Amino acid sequence: MGLKAGIVGMPNVGKSTLFNAITLSNVEAANYPFATIEPNSGVVEVMDKRIDDMIPLYNPRKVIRATLEFVDIAGLVKGASKGEGLGNKFLANIRETDAICQVVRCFENNEILHVEGSVDAIRDVEIINYELALADLEVVEKRIEKVAKKATTTKDKEAMLEYETLLKIKKALESGNNARSVELNSIEANIVKNFNLLSIKPIIYVANLNESEVSNPTSNAEYNKLVEYASKENSLVIPISAQIEADLASLEAGEKQEFLSELGIDESGLDKLTKAMYSLLGLETYFTAGEDELRAWTFKTGMTAPECAGIIHTDFQRGFIKAEVYTYENIMEYKSELKVKENGKLRMEGKEYIVKDGDIMFFKFNV
């Protein structure tokens, strides 16, 4: 299951520095607006301690972790929805992502220019959110024009439902709110999904702090303002120092943990961001394990065993018979699959089984 997150923000807030660090890329991160023009893409492995714990138990020939793709998108300025800066190109790139990581500058540094002339986290966030909402409003208004006549004259049920749903979105956008704020039932949500609106995408605010502040982010006034702002829309704020992430990028695993400990930080910004992204999108992980391969698979919370089998291959879902299931906790307790079986912890599950985070699965199918 591919997952793509767009890294966005005002120019010179640390987007490209963060992107370079977490993806080990080398794109330009310059002290002037629009250093990033074309979107840069990088795939990172999702570091899951459970994989590390299971490697010595299975001794697999190959280990495949789950992955997350980040896209570094050009900085957004006021008027982007009308084409200012790199506006239209920027907005088109966001439409292709599953979620948005909005990097917000919360640090002071006179040597790094700010396109608005000063550091103000809430102002920057509101500029971007406003431009996304304006772009969505244009999309919604155009669609309303097309469907209105059919809805109001022929009384076609599908057209009427689409029309009424779009009017709800339009009202929210005109009021200065984002599309995420509109409560939609499952049918309405499916209608809106077709338009790939920008302001309906789930969002995480990444507060970029000075190195000295990241272990105690509440010492930063801009961070506190951002947390208060995000809480009103039920969004997450992740405190990160893009500079620390850049320093971590060149270190080995053991050195990274030692460096973080010295700074009083429990985990890297990338790990925090990954966990937040999984939570935001309702994602979990199951595993397939054996001598040949130990692999993590990402799935949507609530998926059934056949649906999860289909993530591996559509034939697995189409011809699903049953799944052998035990848990990460089981294998850590008994240390081998044989002992798991001998202690009665291996289960046979059918088509109605809801897969759980940490399940280790072997699918049986026939096509």
Side-chain angles (χ1 to χ4, degrees), residues 209-235:
L209 306 171
N210 279 321
E211 300 96 299
S212 60
E213 297 173 324
V214 73
S215 62
N216 182 26
T218 55
S219 65
N220 182 295
E222 295 299 318
Y223 171 81
N224 293 330
K225 292 175 189 175
L226 184 58
V227 169
E228 183 180 356
Y229 178 94
S231 68
K232 294 175 183 176
E233 57 176 47
N234 295 317
S235 295

Side-chain angles (χ1 to χ4, degrees), residues 123-310:
R123 178 203 58 210
D124 291 358
V125 165
E126 289 182 338
I127 285 174
I128 290 183
N129 288 346
Y130 181 68
E131 294 301 330
L132 300 184
L134 283 181
D136 284 348
L137 184 59
E138 184 178 350
V139 171
V140 169
E141 286 178 336
K142 285 182 179 178
R143 183 59 189 173
I144 286 175
E145 287 178 13
K146 290 184 178 180
V147 78
K149 186 175 181 181
K150 187 176 181 180
T152 55
T153 59
T154 67
K155 303 298 181 183
D156 178 85
K157 287 185 178 180
E158 288 187 8
M160 288 176 65
L161 183 56
E162 181 180 339
Y163 179 66
E164 291 166 0
T165 301
L166 290 173
L167 285 179
K168 288 170 67 173
I169 298 290
K170 181 174 182 285
K171 182 179 178 181
L173 295 173
E174 288 178 332
S175 301
N177 296 312
N178 54 52
R180 289 190 304 278
S181 67
V182 182
E183 290 189 17
L184 302 171
N185 61 38
S186 58
I187 297 174
E188 292 170 332
N190 279 331
I191 292 170
V192 174
K193 187 177 181 180
N194 294 327
F195 305 109
N196 208 14
L197 299 178
L198 300 168
S199 70
I200 207 166
K201 293 182 183 295
I203 190 167
I204 292 174
Y205 296 107
V206 177
N208 190 10
L209 306 171
N210 279 321
E211 300 96 299
S212 60
E213 297 173 324
V214 73
S215 62
N216 182 26
T218 55
S219 65
N220 182 295
E222 295 299 318
Y223 171 81
N224 293 330
K225 292 175 189 175
L226 184 58
V227 169
E228 183 180 356
Y229 178 94
S231 68
K232 294 175 183 176
E233 57 176 47
N234 295 317
S235 295
L236 296 172
V237 178
I238 304 298
I240 283 178
S241 165
Q243 187 55 56
I244 287 177
E245 296 304 308
D247 293 340
L248 283 170
S250 61
L251 301 179
E252 298 296 329
E255 293 175 320
K256 286 182 180 180
Q257 197 53 53
E258 185 178 341
F259 180 60
L260 290 172
S261 296
E262 289 175 358
L263 295 171
I265 304 170
D266 294 331
E267 56 186 346
S268 72
L270 174 58
D271 289 344
K272 291 178 184 176
L273 192 53
T274 300
K275 289 178 182 177
M277 192 67 63
Y278 268 61
S279 174
L280 182 72
L281 297 174
L283 300 175
E284 295 182 317
T285 304
Y286 77 85
F287 304 98
T288 51
E291 291 181 359
D292 287 336
E293 180 182 282
L294 172 60
R295 182 163 183 165
W297 301 89
T298 302
F299 68 98
K300 278 273 190 185
T301 303
M303 288 179 73
T304 63
E307 289 172 329
C308 283

Side-chain angles (χ1 to χ4, degrees), residues 305-322 351 363-367:
E307 289 172 329
C308 283
I311 294 172
I312 299 176
H313 197 287
T314 53
D315 283 350
F316 283 28
Q317 182 171 359
R318 185 161 55 91
F320 180 88
I321 299 172
K322 59 184 175 181
K351 294 181 178 180
F363 298 107
K364 296 189 175 183
F365 68 103
N366 183 32
V367 289

Side-chain angles (χ1 to χ4, degrees), residues 326 330-331 333-346:
Y326 56 98
N330 294 152
I331 195 67
E333 180 179 358
Y334 296 107
K335 306 304 180 185
S336 75
E337 189 174 286
L338 178 61
K339 291 292 185 182
V340 169
K341 291 178 182 178
E342 289 175 349
N343 284 274
K345 297 300 183 180
L346 187 144

Side-chain angles (χ1 to χ4, degrees), residues 6-172:
I7 300 180
V8 304
M10 300 283 287
N12 296 349
V13 298
K15 294 184 300 84
S16 295
T17 300
L18 180 63
F19 173 84
N20 285 342
I22 63 180
T23 64
L24 301 180
S25 299
N26 189 29
V27 302
E28 187 172 11
N31 183 21
Y32 54 85
F34 311 124
T36 305
I37 297 178
E38 294 297 332
N40 301 291
S41 178
V43 176
V44 302
E45 290 185 328
V46 176
M47 302 310 294
D48 190 325
K49 180 180 178 296
R50 294 174 295 184
I51 286 275
D52 298 324
D53 291 341
M54 290 189 287
I55 288 174
L57 301 181
Y58 292 101
N59 195 25
R61 282 183 278 273
K62 184 162 56 173
V63 175
I64 303 177
R65 299 176 186 270
T67 58
L68 176 61
E69 181 179 0
F70 286 101
V71 183
D72 179 30
I73 299 173
L76 179 63
V77 296
K78 198 178 295 181
S81 60
K82 303 300 181 185
E84 290 295 325
L86 299 172
N88 292 329
K89 176 177 275 192
F90 172 97
L91 298 173
N93 291 329
I94 295 181
R95 292 193 191 281
E96 300 172 7
T97 63
D98 300 299
I100 295 173
C101 297
Q102 187 177 152
V103 180
V104 185
R105 179 172 168 178
C106 295
F107 66 89
E108 295 283 354
N109 187 328
N110 293 332
E111 295 181 3
I112 300 178
L113 302 173
H114 193 295
V115 72
E116 289 292 324
S118 63
V119 174
D120 186 330
I122 304 306
R123 178 203 58 210
D124 291 358
V125 165
E126 289 182 338
I127 285 174
I128 290 183
N129 288 346
Y130 181 68
E131 294 301 330
L132 300 184
L134 283 181
D136 284 348
L137 184 59
E138 184 178 350
V139 171
V140 169
E141 286 178 336
K142 285 182 179 178
R143 183 59 189 173
I144 286 175
E145 287 178 13
K146 290 184 178 180
V147 78
K149 186 175 181 181
K150 187 176 181 180
T152 55
T153 59
T154 67
K155 303 298 181 183
D156 178 85
K157 287 185 178 180
E158 288 187 8
M160 288 176 65
L161 183 56
E162 181 180 339
Y163 179 66
E164 291 166 0
T165 301
L166 290 173
L167 285 179
K168 288 170 67 173
I169 298 290
K170 181 174 182 285
K171 182 179 178 181

